[in-house]
Amino acid sequence: MTKTLYIRAGLLAGTAGLAAFAAPLAAQDSAADVAAEAAAAAAAEEEGTIYVTARRREERLIDVPLSVTSLSGDDLIKQGVQDLVAVAQQVPNVTLEVSRGTNTTLSAFIRGVGQQDPVAGFEAGVGLYIDDVYLNRPQAAVLDIYEVERIEVLRGPQGTLYGRNTIGGAIKYVTASLPDETAVKIRGTYGSYDQADLIVSASTPISDNLKIGASGARLSRGGFGQNLTLGTENYNKDVWAARGTIEFDNGPVMVRLSGDYIKDTSEARQGHRFIPSLVTNQPVLDNVFDTRAGLNIVDQEVEAYGGALNVAIELSDTLTFKSITGYREDKSTTPIDFDSLAAVDLDVPAIYNNDQLSQELQLLYEGDKLSGVLGFYYLDANAFTAFDVALFTTLNGFTAQTLGDVNTKTWSVFGDFTYDLSDTISVSVGGRYTNDKRNSTVLRRSFLGGFSDLFGGNGAVLATTSNFNGSATFKDFNPRASISWQPNRDHNLYFTYSQGFKGGGFDPRGQTTACRNATGGTCTADEVFDFMSFDPETVDSFELGWKASLLDNRLNISIAAFLGQYTDVQIPGSVGFDSNGDGTNDTFIGITSNAADADVNGIEFEGTALVGTDFAGEGSRFSVNWSLGVLDAKFNTFIDNFGRDVADQRVFQNTPDITAHMGFNMGLPVGGGMMDFIGLASLRSDASQFEVPNPFLDQDGFVLVDASIVYTADSGLYSIGVHGKNLFDKEYIVAGYNFVAGGVGGAPFIPTLGREGTLTGFFGDPRRVFVTAQLNF
């Protein structure tokens, strides 16, 4: 399989190379046309230039000495991209997935660095920003694509400009600015599995300086499968969402107030069992989207809302002051049926409540030779998680409850400046000092007689196994430096060093009574603190890159090679634990340590090529786009729970060695409009769900193929499109649970928690076809 994927990756790269050579052939015109083309070259170049704010100031993408991918909202809509997860198909070395058992919780990895566990107490490795406001928690972070200007994906540590928890990279979701004239837009979608979406947007100027706008979305779809126990749908979608914006701009002062709301009442997304149940002998279901999960004591429900106030004031021709204020809150309940059976063998109802207030101040300078930003950032956030672990088949009516409450107060000061040493050489230097304080409460109790009162049960408290309160402050300085050589405005050869760190904390599933000292005795308070806590992890990255815009902006390429030194890697783990000493595991506990260090090295190659224009009538065009990521991620050290170095037996989770895509867009003028034919093939090589490989959960390499046909009227009044996703209906695993041992080489499965044997998986979307129509007034 791996050999085949390398061949496919080579073919994709080879096709990209052919496109690069085809572009100059298509650009060769008669001598008489050369003068006319030269006259329009400057205007054409500017029209196709991509601008980003990756360094907190607007710049041409080619000028930024970082690996950045920018995808426009218009292109994403034409491709039929409907949520943030699908963006990863077009960006090298990026994995975006819907977390286990949820519809809207995001698991994000960039260049092998991320976080799969959404429980309060664990920090993200990839930062997600909505209009420059950082989202502190992954719940409600699978953002739907509507009214978006662009999405920027910054790869590699971004600690200097974006702060803590961006050691893998950052994703910037930039919403669209309001138009200058009154506008109404209605977009509808209907397709497979009774998908029926409606998005309505409207905006209008109130005066010369003031505009208001709002949009609402109803997003619904039937399930890909059925819950055979409860008679409900599995993998369905039932979402209401809204956004509102007020913009004031009189030239020197710009103020933007925005707010958003989302309510998700989709059914719980439950897993597919890979093995028959060991006690009730339930066979494996044929449809991977079907389930027998029976947990329903809480509904699957997510409610999230937030607002942002962005202010920019031009103090002079060279100085601009910016203020970014954000508030967000989300609440969710979810019934996570680990075993996916009607039996209450390993059932986990959960509650997540998060809120955050952030304030960022920036002073930007733009001079002839010097440009940069000074800033201050503050975040006050709280994350609360509570869940029961019901193991009724192990011990009748036994429940282990965990409550985690984490408060974060972090502040930082940062600066990043670029100085032009000459017309062709510039240097950039930056740094960020962060003070990150974490207060954590972990309460774990055992109940007998059913679920706890938190979930409407009548269980009585049997024992308190953890009652921990801890506080720690983590301080760090993250430097960044780069040098760029730009012989002209169409080339940028750069070398960049950057660093990032992910905050430390306390294991939200840790159990203090499980702590043992070196002699096997009861731990002291200091030993309990060390047992429950873990330190920050850091990444130092060295990147050499080349960006070029060639052939009058017809061919744009970006190539980067990077070395990453990943130290003090946080390894969260869950293991079955016998809390009452009867010889049977009756709960699971968290054990998180800074047990590893690793090297993450690789290359990335991206490009776009306008291969031909006006070949089938005026305005016709054919373009291709591609990306290739090759990653070599290996642990140098990995200390397991028994003190052994097992680095040669561990792999990076959710990190394929190869990611690639090849896409095209052919536009043909048809009947007073433009018909776009769009295709995309994305490839991912073998990947493991966890650090310990598992033949049932690990995903072999695969290719997804999408296609769209979109007609847009020249008047801009309407468009209609047909979209196909995963056209070859590939089944692929995106997440899973494993609480069994054995099962390899014919050996029997042995449950490590519960009695039925929990080995379940969650899958990406099957083949879907849908039609979209949009009216603009």
Side-chain angles (χ1 to χ4, degrees), residues 215-505:
S215 60
R218 170 61 174 148
L219 311 172
S220 66
R221 189 197 63 239
F224 301 144
Q226 295 291 319
N227 186 315
L228 305 182
T229 299
L230 301 178
T232 57
E233 295 180 298
N234 203 28
Y235 289 80
N236 75 320
K237 187 171 186 176
D238 189 354
V239 172
W240 292 89
R243 288 190 191 137
T245 306
I246 301 174
E247 293 181 359
F248 172 84
D249 189 350
N250 68 356
V253 178
M254 190 283 291
V255 179
R256 189 172 195 257
L257 177 65
S258 60
D260 61 87
Y261 174 85
I262 183 171
K263 182 69 173 288
D264 183 349
T265 56
S266 310
E267 298 289 345
R269 180 176 294 200
Q270 304 288 13
H272 168 77
R273 290 185 61 86
F274 291 109
I275 60 174
S277 57
L278 303 182
V279 176
T280 54
N281 297 314
Q282 294 291 325
V284 174
L285 295 171
D286 293 332
N287 185 349
V288 298
F289 297 106
D290 285 346
T291 186
R292 294 191 180 93
L295 180 62
N296 65 348
I297 67 168
V298 294
D299 292 330
Q300 172 76 33
E301 186 173 9
V302 179
E303 184 177 31
Y305 50 89
L309 176 64
N310 294 60
V311 179
I313 303 173
E314 293 184 7
L315 303 177
S316 68
D317 292 340
T318 57
L319 281 176
T320 300
F321 171 79
K322 285 188 177 181
S323 170
I324 304 167
T325 307
Y327 178 80
R328 300 202 66 82
E329 186 171 337
D330 66 82
K331 302 175 182 179
S332 58
T333 56
T334 180
I336 310 173
D337 196 324
F338 280 53
D339 56 87
S340 291
L341 293 168
V344 185
D345 186 60
L346 183 48
D347 288 8
V348 183
I351 297 171
Y352 301 95
N353 291 334
N354 307 300
D355 61 77
Q356 66 175 82
L357 173 67
S358 62
Q359 176 64 57
E360 183 165 353
L361 304 175
Q362 300 175 9
L363 185 63
L364 295 94
Y365 178 81
E366 192 73 36
D368 293 334
K369 288 183 172 292
L370 180 68
S371 61
V373 58
L374 288 173
F376 171 82
Y377 178 77
Y378 176 77
L379 171 71
D380 186 349
N382 183 263
F384 173 81
T385 300
F387 57 87
D388 281 4
V389 179
L391 300 161
F392 293 176
T393 61
T394 301
L395 182 63
N396 187 34
F398 182 85
T399 298
Q401 183 192 77
T402 298
L403 285 82
D405 194 348
V406 181
N407 182 260
T408 297
K409 285 184 170 64
T410 184
W411 62 267
S412 60
V413 290
F414 62 92
D416 189 86
F417 284 87
T418 300
Y419 182 76
D420 296 333
L421 296 176
S422 68
D423 291 340
T424 61
I425 298 176
S426 62
V427 294
S428 297
V429 178
R432 187 184 195 107
Y433 174 81
T434 300
N435 183 291
D436 189 27
K437 185 177 182 180
R438 198 91 68 248
N439 291 292
S440 180
T441 298
V442 179
L443 176 64
R444 291 175 63 97
R445 297 181 294 175
S446 299
F447 289 77
L448 199 59
F451 289 98
S452 70
D453 56 354
L454 194 63
F455 296 97
N458 298 313
V461 176
L462 182 65
T464 297
T465 56
S466 283
N467 190 0
F468 175 81
N469 289 278
S471 177
T473 299
F474 307 99
K475 302 175 182 179
D476 201 55
F477 178 76
N478 298 132
R480 191 189 78 84
S482 67
I483 183 168
S484 296
W485 177 52
Q486 294 184 266
N488 55 53
R489 62 183 281 107
D490 294 328
H491 293 268
N492 184 3
L493 182 66
Y494 66 87
F495 176 78
T496 296
Y497 164 75
S498 59
Q499 186 188 83
F501 91 106
K502 184 166 78 172

Side-chain angles (χ1 to χ4, degrees), residues 172-195:
K172 301 184 64 174
Y173 184 100
V174 183
T175 61
S177 298
L178 299 179
D180 293 329
E181 298 180 353
T182 299
V184 177
K185 181 165 59 180
I186 302 173
R187 181 177 179 83
T189 301
Y190 184 78
S192 305
Y193 303 97
D194 291 327
Q195 177 184 353

